[in-house]
Amino acid sequence: MMDLAVLDQWIVGRVDPHIYAFTTNTIPNYLKVGDTYRPVAMRLREWREHFPDLQKEYENIAKVSDDTYFRDFAVHSFLEQEKRRIRLAPGDLLRGEYYSREFFRDATAQDVEEAIADIQKDFKDSTNKYQFYNADTHLPETHTYPRTETYPPRPNQDKTIKRFRKAIDSGRTNLLMYAAMRFGKSFTSMCCATEMEANLVTVVSAKADVKEEWKKTVQSHERFKDYLFFTGEDLIGNENIIRQTLDAGKKVVVFLSLQDLQGDDIKEKHRELLSLTIDLLIVDETHFGARAEKYGKVLRKTGKQHPNDTDDYIELDDAKQQLKSFTTRVTLHLSGTPYRILMGSEFSKDDIIAFYQFSDIVKEQEEWTKTNDAADEPEEEWENPYYGFPQMIRFAFNPNESSRRRLKELRENGVSYAFSALLKPRSIRKSDDGSHKRFVFEEEVLDLLSVIDGSKADDELLGFLDYEKIKSGNMCRHIVCVLPYCSSCDAIEALIRSNADKFKNLSDYEIVNISGVDQPNAYRSPSDIKHKIRECEEADKKTLTLTVNRMLTGSTVEQWDTMLFLKDTASPQEYDQAIFRLQNQYVKKYTDHDGHVIKYNMKPQTLLVDFDPNRMFTMQEQMSQIYNVNVDEAGNSRLEERIREELRISPIIVVNHDKMEEVQAADILQKVSEYSKTRGVAEETAEIPVDSTLMDIDVIRRAIERENELGSKAGFTMKAHEGDDEGSDLETPDNQTEGGDEDSHGTEPDGGQDAGTATETRDESGKKDTVKQFRSYYARILFFAFLTRDVVISLEDIIARIETPDNARIANNIGITKPVLEAIQGNINKFILRDLDYKIHN
């Protein structure tokens, strides 16, 4: 038989694309993963010129059907996202070594095998995680949403679009849309894009999970038919795709994550975009710096890990630097929780095109109903643009008795995050002995679940899952439980399963563990999670979703109706983003044989169950305060009105001596203002920040410059009684709070030493410290509040009562005047006024 070996080396013919992988001692502990449209053996011969000792580890066809293929990008995505394998960086190599970015640390052939299995499953299930290529066109074959939506903007969205138009017409270029979750910010933003006739729109977000929501918005609505939606993956496939699309007369929306933009070097896929002028840059979830508050910064600097840290965290300064690299006409920031941003001065009132909290949506919902009811021919109730937005009922419960005892013990031992410690497993990483599925305080946690379930009773906690009205009203069907550690999800799941016979209700729930370490790939994408819960709902099966942070920002699971908040958090942004996952519309449409439609509200009410009542009260107070500041209503007198309105819309229920009670606005203010009775005026005064910009106002500056420093040996001078030759000194203790960022504030939220912030240190000339002088004046205000017979809870109250005969005498002797107080009230940073008001209240 003829030997064809030589010919075999040359004749190739038609070859399907393949995925291949190899290792090399040149770059130990890394796996190179690529694809080729030629024989793998030929491609490996080429690679041996750079890596003579390479060993082939894997080879498989890159095909999911007879005419549909995938690229190595899909495998790379799986390795990075699902297996957490890190790409080789240029700095990891010695000088002169050949670099390829397709090497992955600690990756294995088994990882590649799993990736291909997942890609094949994705194609079969149409879950749209990966791109596929058609054999005829060689173009990516991605899922496209049908363009069937035609609904108009709701009234509040329409107002926002008009404000956007007015702002850009007046030359404003850096705008903020502050609107509660479920407002429809992505749809409204795209309407703004059409309003300004933007050709190139770029959306950036710190949360990659929101990509699918943006894609659906752009592709599904008729108003945006001229726009094509691209992601970073599309830019890899065609580096000129944006210009080509614009030149063809179409418009473009590009979605990128801030994490993708990170790095010192510009990535090839971003070069085209960075060379163009973006008409509208939309920064979604612009509160990305929310966790960069003081406690977060301290923990990161010391290397300690807070249990709430997440992989999608991005530093605020890094994000700002990335955004500066774009050339833009208009930038629009979107957030439902911009609390930290609003405390600063980045946006003026003219820059804020929307200011809507969820209570505003409810009020518009109510107003439509009133107007419709008065109409001659009222519309059906489901024609209300806000139909289906649920009312949130909030439970502020203490945990069960044994957990309360344990929490007290932990706090007395100095554990700051006591609730997270209570719910901490024996191992926070996956362990061969299964300790990641066992709680340290297992008995207390089982007892807590038993009370929630209704199989045990407790004086301070309602067994709400067994409450008849909740059961008959089909509530608590799809619960999401927020936990402190990923392994806490595994431990809760194991505890419920192993004690199923002890539970009356929890054993009926399908557990959907989306954050556990035991099976991290059980639900690989948001669409997997949504599909699972939707499938259970259709089968009339209740679900309990276990998470830490996943799906709690920018994602919508319409069936979720109850949240159990079982972890510590100090961030209003994180808290609000999580709890408002419940507040979406969940409406089903029913049609008869004649085509008539009725709409059924599947979720008229939701339940938030927080096991830290003080946190719920504090968060409510902070949200109301921020709202008031931004509508020019400052001070605790107005704050009580705002809290009262919020509680009307979303009540807070507590257990008090085995009795359910509704919390009042005054209760919340009282809880927030509670303090130790052993504290003196000087101690309280030392905690109030100082807004040194007030020294630019003559009447205030003259008053402050007359003051001694609080805590100085000169003492605190009281005004002399009429006829006395000299004043009298009221001795105050030395101020123990010396210097530092934590103690003096300008208008920066972090209290840094920026322009306009006074310092605590004297200069070389021995000049008095303005901050301490200012605090002496604060002390006078607090002494007045202590001495007056009137009940005053704010600076506004003092101003209103200072001219009565008795109060005028006290003010005269204390040394405060109405003009100075009015100047402070009208010009002080509103968040500092909040602190001063609470000290007056105390």
Side-chain angles (χ1 to χ4, degrees), residues 186-240:
S186 57
F187 170 72
T188 308
S189 301
M190 282 305 302
C191 289
C192 290
T194 61
E195 179 68 23
M196 69 177 291
E197 298 181 348
N199 291 313
L200 176 55
V201 179
T202 298
V203 182
V204 295
S205 176
K207 295 291 292 185
D209 282 354
V210 303
K211 176 177 67 176
E212 201 64 24
E213 301 286 342
W214 276 99
K215 180 178 180 180
K216 182 177 181 180
T217 297
V218 174
Q219 293 184 344
S220 64
H221 202 283
E222 182 64 25
R223 181 163 178 161
F224 316 131
K225 64 180 184 299
D226 293 333
Y227 289 91
L228 296 183
F229 184 84
F230 299 135
T231 65
E233 289 77 13
D234 297 307
L235 304 187
I236 293 175
N238 182 350
E239 295 176 0
N240 300 310

Side-chain angles (χ1 to χ4, degrees), residues 31 47 58 96 104 174 203 205 277 393 432 443 457 507 515 525 550-551 620 636-637 717 723 758 782 829:
L31 184 73
W47 277 114
Y58 187 82
F104 296 83
N174 190 50
V203 182
S205 176
T277 297
I393 308 297
D432 291 339
E443 183 178 336
S507 54
S515 292
S525 70
R550 196 177 181 195
M551 299 294 286
Q620 175 62 74
N636 279 12
S637 302
T717 303
L782 298 189
N829 177 290

Side-chain angles (χ1 to χ4, degrees), residues 706-717:
R706 290 194 293 267
E707 295 290 339
N708 294 321
E709 296 177 352
L710 184 70
S712 70
K713 293 180 179 179
F716 183 89
T717 303

Side-chain angles (χ1 to χ4, degrees), residues 747-801:
T747 56
E748 283 292 314
D750 285 339
Q753 298 295 333
D754 296 320
T757 303
T759 65
E760 289 272 358
T761 56
R762 292 170 180 260
D763 59 26
E764 293 180 0
S765 66
K767 184 179 177 181
K768 289 181 180 179
D769 187 329
T770 304
V771 169
K772 293 181 180 179
Q773 287 179 288
F774 218 115
R775 287 194 170 127
S776 284
Y777 200 86
Y778 281 160
R780 296 182 188 276
I781 296 172
L782 298 189
F783 275 121
F784 178 92
F786 175 75
L787 293 170
T788 179
R789 290 175 177 159
D790 293 325
V791 175
V792 290
I793 66 168
S794 66
L795 186 58
E796 183 180 27
D797 284 354
I798 293 177
I799 293 169
R801 294 168 174 79

Side-chain angles (χ1 to χ4, degrees), residues 514-770:
I514 66 174
S515 292
V517 299
D518 200 47
Q519 297 183 37
N521 298 322
Y523 300 96
R524 290 174 173 171
S525 70
S527 57
D528 289 342
I529 300 164
K530 295 177 185 181
H531 176 75
K532 173 64 176 179
I533 295 172
R534 185 168 57 249
E535 188 180 65
C536 288
E537 170 63 12
E538 291 170 355
D540 197 28
K541 182 75 173 176
K542 293 183 286 189
T543 63
L544 173 63
T545 302
L546 307 175
T547 187
V548 176
N549 289 298
R550 196 177 181 195
M551 299 294 286
L552 297 185
T553 300
S555 298
T556 299
V557 179
E558 60 183 6
Q559 294 85 2
W560 278 351
D561 61 8
T562 303
M563 178 173 287
L564 309 183
F565 211 94
L566 286 167
K567 73 172 181 179
D568 295 299
T569 179
S571 165
Q573 293 91 340
E574 180 186 4
Y575 188 77
D576 260 18
Q577 282 289 325
I579 68 175
F580 277 98
R581 293 308 98 201
L582 303 178
Q583 296 307 96
N584 60 285
Q585 294 161 296
Y586 179 28
V587 177
K588 281 194 174 181
K589 185 187 293 185
Y590 296 87
T591 308
D592 66 13
H593 293 297
D594 297 323
H596 300 130
V597 172
I598 62 170
K599 295 180 181 178
Y600 181 68
N601 186 1
M602 300 288 289
K603 194 168 68 173
Q605 288 184 315
T606 58
L607 294 182
L608 169 64
V609 188
D610 194 334
F611 295 89
D612 184 349
N614 288 331
R615 171 177 53 203
M616 183 175 281
F617 300 153
T618 302
M619 295 296 183
Q620 175 62 74
E621 185 273 344
Q622 288 186 32
M623 289 185 286
S624 297
Q625 178 71 28
I626 287 164
Y627 185 94
N628 275 7
V629 166
N630 283 277
V631 294
D632 285 331
E633 293 183 357
N636 279 12
S637 302
R638 305 286 179 86
L639 180 59
E640 186 168 352
E641 297 174 19
R642 179 65 197 173
I643 295 174
R644 190 178 298 117
E645 174 63 11
E646 295 276 355
L647 293 176
R648 181 189 72 82
I649 289 168
S650 178
I652 297 177
I653 309 298
V654 297
V655 177
N656 187 11
H657 301 296
D658 204 22
K659 177 184 177 184
M660 306 297 291
E661 288 187 356
E662 187 175 338
V663 172
Q664 304 301 314
D667 300 330
I668 290 179
L669 288 175
Q670 183 63 34
K671 285 288 185 183
V672 174
S673 68
E674 282 181 351
Y675 74 116
S676 169
K677 291 184 179 180
T678 62
R679 296 169 64 84
V681 166
E683 293 173 281
E684 290 283 86
T685 303
E687 291 184 348
I688 308 172
V690 171
D691 182 357
S692 61
T693 61
L694 294 177
M695 294 297 285
D696 295 334
I697 300 168
D698 287 343
V699 66
I700 297 175
R701 187 184 69 255
R702 289 195 299 270
I704 301 305
E705 287 177 344
R706 290 194 293 267
E707 295 290 339
N708 294 321
E709 296 177 352
L710 184 70
S712 70
K713 293 180 179 179
F716 183 89
T717 303
M718 306 290 286
K719 183 176 175 63
H721 288 286
E722 191 172 341
D724 289 347
D725 293 330
E726 297 179 357
S728 61
D729 289 343
L730 178 66
E731 188 174 335
T732 57
D734 288 343
N735 181 6
Q736 298 299 315
T737 309
E738 291 290 336
D741 293 350
E742 298 289 325
D743 204 35
S744 63
H745 298 257
T747 56
E748 283 292 314
D750 285 339
Q753 298 295 333
D754 296 320
T757 303
T759 65
E760 289 272 358
T761 56
R762 292 170 180 260
D763 59 26
E764 293 180 0
S765 66
K767 184 179 177 181
K768 289 181 180 179
D769 187 329
T770 304

Side-chain angles (χ1 to χ4, degrees), residues 822-833:
E822 287 179 330
I824 293 173
Q825 170 82 15
N827 296 280
I828 193 171
N829 177 290
K830 303 306 181 185
F831 297 99
I832 295 178
L833 177 60

